[in-house]
Amino acid sequence: MSGARKLSVRQALATQAGHGEPQQQVLVQGWVRSVRAQKEVLFLHINDGTSLQNLQIVADPNMESRDLSFGSSVEVKGTLVKSLHKKQSVELKAGDIRVVGPCDTLAFPFKPKERPSVDYVRQFPHFRCRTNAFSSLLRIRSEATAAIHSYFKDNDYVHIHTPIITSNDCEGAGELFQLEPTSKVNESGENPNFFNVSTFLTVSGQLHLEVMTGAFTKVFTFGPTFRAENSQSRRHLAEFYMVEAEIAFTESLQDIMQVMEDLFKVVTTNILSKCPEDVELFHKYVSPGQKDRLDQMLKNKFVIMPYTEAIEVLKKAADALTFKPEWGCDLQTEHERHLVKHCGGVPVFVVDYPFDLKPFYMRDNGESPQQTVAAVDLLVPGIGELFGGSLREDRLSVLQTRLDRLGLTDAYQWYLELRQFGSVPHGGFGMGFERYLQCILGVDNIKDVIPFPRFSHSCLL
Amino acid sequence: MSGARKLSVRQALATQAGHGEPQQQVLVQGWVRSVRAQKEVLFLHINDGTSLQNLQIVADPNMESRDLSFGSSVEVKGTLVKSLHKKQSVELKAGDIRVVGPCDTLAFPFKPKERPSVDYVRQFPHFRCRTNAFSSLLRIRSEATAAIHSYFKDNDYVHIHTPIITSNDCEGAGELFQLEPTSKVNESGENPNFFNVSTFLTVSGQLHLEVMTGAFTKVFTFGPTFRAENSQSRRHLAEFYMVEAEIAFTESLQDIMQVMEDLFKVVTTNILSKCPEDVELFHKYVSPGQKDRLDQMLKNKFVIMPYTEAIEVLKKAADALTFKPEWGCDLQTEHERHLVKHCGGVPVFVVDYPFDLKPFYMRDNGESPQQTVAAVDLLVPGIGELFGGSLREDRLSVLQTRLDRLGLTDAYQWYLELRQFGSVPHGGFGMGFERYLQCILGVDNIKDVIPFPRFSHSCLL
């Protein structure tokens, strides 16, 4: 049987065994998901992570052993045959079963046929990928990552690895993680600063993408970003992924919004077609009704609403709101929820925010007396803000005045120089990748859509 | 002319204007790379980063203006026509030229038709993407990133975002960057540790990939890794990218080496076919002869040589070496060079290193008296070590004994548990992405293959 063909579970399930294909010896490896011994026959289900569906193994009862238990790893040789069960078209008739690594079932945190709560599962960061739901999640995350790269590649964007360690604080808000090389401690002050300047973990790659858009026109980055926010909420992580794009020769927020909407719809449609079973698990069991909510987002044109109009809408509903809506104030979570509901569950772009609410780099709309900037946030059902974007201030004199006022001219000399040499109108956006996954799948807690969540008081593994 | 079709430079160059396609109004945007005014005609070259080749604009001399200079950004409307010059098949006959953003040519660090040195260019991290060589480099880097993702996707690997912030020190060697939230300083000790444990920037995603390989069989990660090494060398960065893969049910280093060689050859071949002009710039001007050296690597089967044999080879050449080769000692750079030369410029896998040279997680080969582990390094011409990999110690009792001896049992309890519940033989490797780019392109300094290099005493932007 040395000539057995090695197949993944997914490959085995996709064969047409018993439907015309000649029978052949195959070798399948994986972890046991269930053992059911009957008088005449032993049934196993094994999974190797290549698909949500298990492969059914049909074996002689004398192949049963103490080590052949839930959680153990096995290697099975045999032939693929047509299955009589309606749940699968193929099963593996075992000629030989070898336990590769046993599993101490009593000590193992998960039990067969149980569906443990997410709170319980989260306590085992080294094992939660062995549950159905989290392995589906990670396969979807992998497909989503590929789909995002494809989207930008198909649309002629250059991918840029923006730096993680930076001496800039792009947003000027939120808490930063500062770096210390451990050698400082060891060498008792001899090497007080590795980089000679204070350095932080990036909160956004935007400023570095702006450098690149001045040469490549369309650029994107997709990497980790950081906030030392002391929050235990379901919406915040200390380490999370952002998809950011920057586009030159763009004079209108409309163009930026078009890319945001297109990215959301193309990537989501791609995921739905690539891993329908994994997505179905979430839409059926984790968040019933999510399929309809997502369809609603995909089939409708996203709504566009100026901030000023959004405040009017909120004022009309002020009685039902805890925080009083007021022109010049940030939108609260309940405000975001109300606006999305007001728009019938369709994502809504809120545009043209008050000047004083937004960072220095956003383009002044030049309106008065209510001074606004060309900023946009995309609000989606269940999540709130999913994307944030803006046109950037490309006019040297306007930017210079603003940085002077903030006392930042020296720190951002290089940023001003981008406007001094072949400046172009440009803009871009960032999308929180974990929030995106929460949004399409209906996952309540952001900690459940990332392999190893980092948040205040927790950095397991 | 409002109906002009917007084209990128690459799209414009790819049209068959004058070769049968009907003439139409187009709009092209970009940065001026040269201006040449003749009596009867004005020639411009513009580039928008979508291709190394510029688009030639042919205009009426009265369209010249003071602002239309090297480095300025422009928008040109006109018709694409067949070019009479042999360097291009298409040129743009301008009906209208608009300067979008002027460029103060005297103050701009680069001048037309100069080829500045890499040391000079490196001083301008916000402008170096506007040079031919570095824009080619970044397009190649973008293609290489896509090719690596494709390789793993095509081979059924699940992509995992391994964490950047970690409480583990995977290699147990090298200097680490430690994290401090800035709030510590602000709140004078009230929040002494954001995560409750000491945290560092990752040096490798391997241990986290090992978690995942226990559920998905084949996994990979591609992200930033960090070393606080006080080195100004041409081979080291404080922040660099690693491609790492981990494969379950693997009992032989051969299988791991096969993936390493395949990845190198498939990705490189893909890049050569996707951006031939950009690669040619390096192979012709930056590193003459590099094309032949690369062909040598691609067409030959990589050599496999046990460490013990490598030491014998080096001992025979000891007179020409500064560092005396000795069994049990690490290979020096000059040793790596000699071995690659000895193998005729073909990459060489050195396997089965001394036990005491390698980290705790590598699988003991069980040989005596010269105890070795199933480790592999791939040495390539001009670079030295490009990949490092190993089989991992999957036997609970062996690993337990080793961790006990190192006093690490408590810290790695979770890692031991991976061997307690359905353990499988597995192994994997990491490839330095910047070194890979240096290797295929012949770039001498690692700082010249990453958008924003971070190294000791330098964190610009």
Side-chain angles (χ1 to χ4, degrees), chain B residues 61-92:
Chain B
N62 69 19
M63 290 187 189
E64 205 183 352
S65 79
R66 219 179 68 91
D67 279 350
L68 190 63
S69 63
F70 176 75
S72 62
S73 52
V74 294
E75 191 170 278
V76 183
K77 287 176 187 166
T79 50
L80 289 169
V81 297
K82 187 173 173 174
S83 175
L84 300 175
H85 298 258
K86 66 172 197 288
K87 274 182 113 176
Q88 68 251 339
S89 67
V90 169
E91 59 192 22
L92 180 61

Side-chain angles (χ1 to χ4, degrees), chain A residues 6 10-11 29-31 47-49 71-74 98 100-104 107-108 125-127 129-130 135 138-139 141-143 145-146 149 153 156-168 175-183 186-187 191 193-197 199-201 208 211-217 222 224 226-230 238-239 241 248-249 251 414 417-418 420-425 433 451-452 454-461, chain B residues 6 10-11 29-31 47-49 71-74 98 100-104 107-108 125-127 129-130 135 138-139 141-143 145-146 149 153 156-168 175-183 186-187 191 193-197 199-201 208 211-217 222 224 226-230 238-239 241 248-249 251 414 417-418 420-425 433 451-452 454-461:
Chain A
K6 194 166 160 177
R10 187 158 61 113
Q11 287 169 333
Q29 300 158 319
W31 290 267
N47 190 290
D48 66 354
S72 63
S73 51
V74 294
R98 183 169 76 87
V100 176
C103 177
D104 180 347
F108 195 52
H126 54 320
F127 287 132
C129 52
R130 300 194 195 180
S135 70
L138 290 180
R139 275 190 300 275
R141 190 178 164 110
S142 176
E143 278 295 345
T145 301
H149 277 278
K153 191 162 168 40
D156 286 330
Y157 286 70
V158 174
H159 175 269
I160 300 291
H161 285 117
T162 50
I164 308 302
I165 302 175
T166 175
S167 42
N168 289 304
E175 303 270 22
L176 298 173
F177 284 108
Q178 189 160 4
L179 284 190
E180 302 284 351
T182 51
S183 56
N186 301 337
E187 295 170 18
N191 176 16
N193 196 313
F194 185 87
F195 290 114
N196 292 8
V197 290
T199 52
F200 312 95
L201 296 189
H208 299 94
V211 166
M212 294 299 171
T213 202
F216 296 108
T217 310
F222 180 7
F226 305 86
R227 299 283 154 86
E229 231 167 336
N230 212 329
E239 173 178 320
Y241 280 73
F249 296 103
E251 295 180 48
W414 64 272
E417 286 178 15
L418 297 178
Q420 199 179 341
F421 303 100
S423 185
V424 290
F433 182 54
F452 299 94
R454 273 81 179 92
F455 49 97
S456 109
H457 309 307
S458 178
C459 183
L460 296 176
L461 271 56
Chain B
K6 194 166 160 177
R10 187 159 60 113
Q11 288 168 332
Q29 300 158 319
W31 289 266
N47 190 290
D48 66 356
S72 62
S73 52
V74 294
R98 183 170 75 89
V100 176
C103 177
D104 180 347
F108 194 53
H126 54 320
F127 287 131
C129 52
R130 300 194 194 180
S135 69
L138 290 180
R139 275 191 300 274
R141 190 177 164 110
S142 176
E143 278 296 344
T145 301
H149 277 277
K153 190 161 170 41
D156 286 330
Y157 287 71
V158 175
H159 176 270
I160 301 291
H161 285 116
T162 50
I164 308 303
I165 302 174
T166 176
S167 43
N168 289 303
E175 303 271 21
L176 298 172
F177 284 107
Q178 189 160 2
L179 284 190
E180 303 283 352
T182 50
S183 56
N186 302 336
E187 293 169 21
N191 176 17
N193 197 313
F194 184 87
F195 290 114
N196 292 6
V197 290
T199 51
F200 312 95
L201 296 189
H208 299 95
V211 167
M212 295 298 170
T213 202
F216 296 108
T217 310
F222 181 8
F226 305 85
R227 299 283 154 86
E229 231 166 337
N230 212 329
E239 172 178 319
Y241 279 74
F249 297 102
E251 295 181 49
W414 65 271
E417 286 178 14
L418 297 179
Q420 200 179 340
F421 303 101
S423 184
V424 290
F433 182 54
F452 299 94
R454 273 78 179 92
F455 50 96
S456 108
H457 309 307
S458 179
C459 183
L460 295 176
L461 271 55

